[in-house]
mmCIF file with all atom_site columns, all heavy atoms in Angstrom:
data_model
loop_
_atom_site.group_PDB
_atom_site.id
_atom_site.type_symbol
_atom_site.label_atom_id
_atom_site.label_alt_id
_atom_site.label_comp_id
_atom_site.label_asym_id
_atom_site.label_entity_id
_atom_site.label_seq_id
_atom_site.pdbx_PDB_ins_code
_atom_site.Cartn_x
_atom_site.Cartn_y
_atom_site.Cartn_z
_atom_site.occupancy
_atom_site.B_iso_or_equiv
_atom_site.pdbx_formal_charge
_atom_site.auth_seq_id
_atom_site.auth_comp_id
_atom_site.auth_asym_id
_atom_site.auth_atom_id
_atom_site.pdbx_PDB_model_num
ATOM 1   N N   . MET A 1 96  ? 7.709  32.107 -40.251 1.00 87.00 ? 96  MET A N   1
ATOM 2   C CA  . MET A 1 96  ? 7.049  33.229 -39.578 1.00 87.00 ? 96  MET A CA  1
ATOM 3   C C   . MET A 1 96  ? 7.903  33.690 -38.406 1.00 87.00 ? 96  MET A C   1
ATOM 4   O O   . MET A 1 96  ? 8.688  32.923 -37.855 1.00 87.00 ? 96  MET A O   1
ATOM 5   C CB  . MET A 1 96  ? 5.645  32.832 -39.108 1.00 87.00 ? 96  MET A CB  1
ATOM 6   C CG  . MET A 1 96  ? 5.591  31.872 -37.946 1.00 87.00 ? 96  MET A CG  1
ATOM 7   S SD  . MET A 1 96  ? 3.927  31.590 -37.313 1.00 87.00 ? 96  MET A SD  1
ATOM 8   C CE  . MET A 1 96  ? 3.291  30.430 -38.499 1.00 87.00 ? 96  MET A CE  1
ATOM 9   N N   . GLY A 1 97  ? 7.753  34.941 -38.033 1.00 92.00 ? 97  GLY A N   1
ATOM 10  C CA  . GLY A 1 97  ? 8.497  35.494 -36.913 1.00 92.00 ? 97  GLY A CA  1
ATOM 11  C C   . GLY A 1 97  ? 7.998  34.940 -35.585 1.00 92.00 ? 97  GLY A C   1
ATOM 12  O O   . GLY A 1 97  ? 6.906  34.367 -35.498 1.00 92.00 ? 97  GLY A O   1
ATOM 13  N N   . GLU A 1 98  ? 8.797  35.127 -34.558 1.00 95.00 ? 98  GLU A N   1
ATOM 14  C CA  . GLU A 1 98  ? 8.456  34.596 -33.248 1.00 95.00 ? 98  GLU A CA  1
ATOM 15  C C   . GLU A 1 98  ? 7.127  35.123 -32.708 1.00 95.00 ? 98  GLU A C   1
ATOM 16  O O   . GLU A 1 98  ? 6.358  34.350 -32.136 1.00 95.00 ? 98  GLU A O   1
ATOM 17  C CB  . GLU A 1 98  ? 9.582  34.843 -32.244 1.00 95.00 ? 98  GLU A CB  1
ATOM 18  C CG  . GLU A 1 98  ? 10.770 33.947 -32.492 1.00 95.00 ? 98  GLU A CG  1
ATOM 19  C CD  . GLU A 1 98  ? 11.761 33.955 -31.341 1.00 95.00 ? 98  GLU A CD  1
ATOM 20  O OE1 . GLU A 1 98  ? 11.393 34.269 -30.197 1.00 95.00 ? 98  GLU A OE1 1
ATOM 21  O OE2 . GLU A 1 98  ? 12.932 33.624 -31.589 1.00 95.00 ? 98  GLU A OE2 1
ATOM 22  N N   . PRO A 1 99  ? 6.811  36.417 -32.848 1.00 96.00 ? 99  PRO A N   1
ATOM 23  C CA  . PRO A 1 99  ? 5.512  36.885 -32.342 1.00 96.00 ? 99  PRO A CA  1
ATOM 24  C C   . PRO A 1 99  ? 4.327  36.162 -33.006 1.00 96.00 ? 99  PRO A C   1
ATOM 25  O O   . PRO A 1 99  ? 3.387  35.760 -32.316 1.00 96.00 ? 99  PRO A O   1
ATOM 26  C CB  . PRO A 1 99  ? 5.514  38.381 -32.656 1.00 96.00 ? 99  PRO A CB  1
ATOM 27  C CG  . PRO A 1 99  ? 6.970  38.747 -32.614 1.00 96.00 ? 99  PRO A CG  1
ATOM 28  C CD  . PRO A 1 99  ? 7.658  37.561 -33.249 1.00 96.00 ? 99  PRO A CD  1
ATOM 29  N N   . ARG A 1 100 ? 4.385  35.962 -34.295 1.00 96.00 ? 100 ARG A N   1
ATOM 30  C CA  . ARG A 1 100 ? 3.301  35.252 -34.987 1.00 96.00 ? 100 ARG A CA  1
ATOM 31  C C   . ARG A 1 100 ? 3.290  33.782 -34.589 1.00 96.00 ? 100 ARG A C   1
ATOM 32  O O   . ARG A 1 100 ? 2.220  33.190 -34.431 1.00 96.00 ? 100 ARG A O   1
ATOM 33  C CB  . ARG A 1 100 ? 3.446  35.398 -36.499 1.00 96.00 ? 100 ARG A CB  1
ATOM 34  C CG  . ARG A 1 100 ? 3.007  36.774 -36.969 1.00 96.00 ? 100 ARG A CG  1
ATOM 35  C CD  . ARG A 1 100 ? 2.983  36.940 -38.464 1.00 96.00 ? 100 ARG A CD  1
ATOM 36  N NE  . ARG A 1 100 ? 2.265  35.895 -39.157 1.00 96.00 ? 100 ARG A NE  1
ATOM 37  C CZ  . ARG A 1 100 ? 2.586  35.444 -40.356 1.00 96.00 ? 100 ARG A CZ  1
ATOM 38  N NH1 . ARG A 1 100 ? 3.621  35.948 -41.009 1.00 96.00 ? 100 ARG A NH1 1
ATOM 39  N NH2 . ARG A 1 100 ? 1.884  34.496 -40.937 1.00 96.00 ? 100 ARG A NH2 1
ATOM 40  N N   . GLN A 1 101 ? 4.463  33.191 -34.430 1.00 96.00 ? 101 GLN A N   1
ATOM 41  C CA  . GLN A 1 101 ? 4.535  31.798 -34.013 1.00 96.00 ? 101 GLN A CA  1
ATOM 42  C C   . GLN A 1 101 ? 3.948  31.637 -32.604 1.00 96.00 ? 101 GLN A C   1
ATOM 43  O O   . GLN A 1 101 ? 3.209  30.692 -32.332 1.00 96.00 ? 101 GLN A O   1
ATOM 44  C CB  . GLN A 1 101 ? 5.977  31.293 -34.054 1.00 96.00 ? 101 GLN A CB  1
ATOM 45  C CG  . GLN A 1 101 ? 6.108  29.818 -33.726 1.00 96.00 ? 101 GLN A CG  1
ATOM 46  C CD  . GLN A 1 101 ? 7.540  29.322 -33.820 1.00 96.00 ? 101 GLN A CD  1
ATOM 47  O OE1 . GLN A 1 101 ? 8.479  30.091 -34.009 1.00 96.00 ? 101 GLN A OE1 1
ATOM 48  N NE2 . GLN A 1 101 ? 7.707  28.024 -33.684 1.00 96.00 ? 101 GLN A NE2 1
ATOM 49  N N   . ALA A 1 102 ? 4.278  32.564 -31.723 1.00 97.00 ? 102 ALA A N   1
ATOM 50  C CA  . ALA A 1 102 ? 3.755  32.517 -30.356 1.00 97.00 ? 102 ALA A CA  1
ATOM 51  C C   . ALA A 1 102 ? 2.233  32.637 -30.363 1.00 97.00 ? 102 ALA A C   1
ATOM 52  O O   . ALA A 1 102 ? 1.543  31.922 -29.626 1.00 97.00 ? 102 ALA A O   1
ATOM 53  C CB  . ALA A 1 102 ? 4.379  33.620 -29.506 1.00 97.00 ? 102 ALA A CB  1
ATOM 54  N N   . GLN A 1 103 ? 1.703  33.530 -31.192 1.00 97.00 ? 103 GLN A N   1
ATOM 55  C CA  . GLN A 1 103 ? 0.248  33.675 -31.264 1.00 97.00 ? 103 GLN A CA  1
ATOM 56  C C   . GLN A 1 103 ? -0.393 32.398 -31.795 1.00 97.00 ? 103 GLN A C   1
ATOM 57  O O   . GLN A 1 103 ? -1.449 31.976 -31.303 1.00 97.00 ? 103 GLN A O   1
ATOM 58  C CB  . GLN A 1 103 ? -0.151 34.871 -32.138 1.00 97.00 ? 103 GLN A CB  1
ATOM 59  C CG  . GLN A 1 103 ? -1.632 35.165 -32.101 1.00 97.00 ? 103 GLN A CG  1
ATOM 60  C CD  . GLN A 1 103 ? -2.141 35.437 -30.697 1.00 97.00 ? 103 GLN A CD  1
ATOM 61  O OE1 . GLN A 1 103 ? -1.646 36.311 -30.000 1.00 97.00 ? 103 GLN A OE1 1
ATOM 62  N NE2 . GLN A 1 103 ? -3.133 34.678 -30.246 1.00 97.00 ? 103 GLN A NE2 1
ATOM 63  N N   . ALA A 1 104 ? 0.239  31.762 -32.769 1.00 96.00 ? 104 ALA A N   1
ATOM 64  C CA  . ALA A 1 104 ? -0.279 30.494 -33.284 1.00 96.00 ? 104 ALA A CA  1
ATOM 65  C C   . ALA A 1 104 ? -0.290 29.433 -32.180 1.00 96.00 ? 104 ALA A C   1
ATOM 66  O O   . ALA A 1 104 ? -1.243 28.659 -32.059 1.00 96.00 ? 104 ALA A O   1
ATOM 67  C CB  . ALA A 1 104 ? 0.557  30.023 -34.477 1.00 96.00 ? 104 ALA A CB  1
ATOM 68  N N   . TRP A 1 105 ? 0.748  29.406 -31.366 1.00 97.00 ? 105 TRP A N   1
ATOM 69  C CA  . TRP A 1 105 ? 0.804  28.478 -30.233 1.00 97.00 ? 105 TRP A CA  1
ATOM 70  C C   . TRP A 1 105 ? -0.324 28.785 -29.250 1.00 97.00 ? 105 TRP A C   1
ATOM 71  O O   . TRP A 1 105 ? -0.985 27.863 -28.751 1.00 97.00 ? 105 TRP A O   1
ATOM 72  C CB  . TRP A 1 105 ? 2.154  28.592 -29.527 1.00 97.00 ? 105 TRP A CB  1
ATOM 73  C CG  . TRP A 1 105 ? 3.166  27.626 -30.033 1.00 97.00 ? 105 TRP A CG  1
ATOM 74  C CD1 . TRP A 1 105 ? 3.834  27.671 -31.218 1.00 97.00 ? 105 TRP A CD1 1
ATOM 75  C CD2 . TRP A 1 105 ? 3.634  26.450 -29.366 1.00 97.00 ? 105 TRP A CD2 1
ATOM 76  N NE1 . TRP A 1 105 ? 4.689  26.616 -31.317 1.00 97.00 ? 105 TRP A NE1 1
ATOM 77  C CE2 . TRP A 1 105 ? 4.586  25.848 -30.193 1.00 97.00 ? 105 TRP A CE2 1
ATOM 78  C CE3 . TRP A 1 105 ? 3.340  25.874 -28.140 1.00 97.00 ? 105 TRP A CE3 1
ATOM 79  C CZ2 . TRP A 1 105 ? 5.243  24.679 -29.847 1.00 97.00 ? 105 TRP A CZ2 1
ATOM 80  C CZ3 . TRP A 1 105 ? 3.999  24.711 -27.783 1.00 97.00 ? 105 TRP A CZ3 1
ATOM 81  C CH2 . TRP A 1 105 ? 4.930  24.122 -28.635 1.00 97.00 ? 105 TRP A CH2 1
ATOM 82  N N   . LEU A 1 106 ? -0.521 30.050 -28.935 1.00 97.00 ? 106 LEU A N   1
ATOM 83  C CA  . LEU A 1 106 ? -1.597 30.428 -28.005 1.00 97.00 ? 106 LEU A CA  1
ATOM 84  C C   . LEU A 1 106 ? -2.958 29.998 -28.549 1.00 97.00 ? 106 LEU A C   1
ATOM 85  O O   . LEU A 1 106 ? -3.793 29.472 -27.801 1.00 97.00 ? 106 LEU A O   1
ATOM 86  C CB  . LEU A 1 106 ? -1.571 31.937 -27.747 1.00 97.00 ? 106 LEU A CB  1
ATOM 87  C CG  . LEU A 1 106 ? -0.410 32.433 -26.895 1.00 97.00 ? 106 LEU A CG  1
ATOM 88  C CD1 . LEU A 1 106 ? -0.324 33.959 -26.949 1.00 97.00 ? 106 LEU A CD1 1
ATOM 89  C CD2 . LEU A 1 106 ? -0.542 31.949 -25.452 1.00 97.00 ? 106 LEU A CD2 1
ATOM 90  N N   . ASP A 1 107 ? -3.170 30.202 -29.837 1.00 96.00 ? 107 ASP A N   1
ATOM 91  C CA  . ASP A 1 107 ? -4.431 29.798 -30.459 1.00 96.00 ? 107 ASP A CA  1
ATOM 92  C C   . ASP A 1 107 ? -4.611 28.283 -30.381 1.00 96.00 ? 107 ASP A C   1
ATOM 93  O O   . ASP A 1 107 ? -5.700 27.790 -30.078 1.00 96.00 ? 107 ASP A O   1
ATOM 94  C CB  . ASP A 1 107 ? -4.493 30.265 -31.910 1.00 96.00 ? 107 ASP A CB  1
ATOM 95  C CG  . ASP A 1 107 ? -4.533 31.779 -32.053 1.00 96.00 ? 107 ASP A CG  1
ATOM 96  O OD1 . ASP A 1 107 ? -4.799 32.482 -31.051 1.00 96.00 ? 107 ASP A OD1 1
ATOM 97  O OD2 . ASP A 1 107 ? -4.266 32.261 -33.181 1.00 96.00 ? 107 ASP A OD2 1
ATOM 98  N N   . GLN A 1 108 ? -3.536 27.557 -30.643 1.00 96.00 ? 108 GLN A N   1
ATOM 99  C CA  . GLN A 1 108 ? -3.588 26.097 -30.601 1.00 96.00 ? 108 GLN A CA  1
ATOM 100 C C   . GLN A 1 108 ? -3.873 25.595 -29.178 1.00 96.00 ? 108 GLN A C   1
ATOM 101 O O   . GLN A 1 108 ? -4.698 24.704 -28.979 1.00 96.00 ? 108 GLN A O   1
ATOM 102 C CB  . GLN A 1 108 ? -2.282 25.498 -31.113 1.00 96.00 ? 108 GLN A CB  1
ATOM 103 C CG  . GLN A 1 108 ? -2.257 23.984 -31.107 1.00 96.00 ? 108 GLN A CG  1
ATOM 104 C CD  . GLN A 1 108 ? -0.926 23.412 -31.544 1.00 96.00 ? 108 GLN A CD  1
ATOM 105 O OE1 . GLN A 1 108 ? 0.060  24.127 -31.692 1.00 96.00 ? 108 GLN A OE1 1
ATOM 106 N NE2 . GLN A 1 108 ? -0.887 22.116 -31.755 1.00 96.00 ? 108 GLN A NE2 1
#
Side-chain angles (χ1 to χ4, degrees):
M96 71 173 79
E98 287 193 23
R100 284 186 51 213
Q101 184 178 7
Q103 187 58 56
W105 267 74
L106 288 168
D107 294 345
Q108 180 183 10

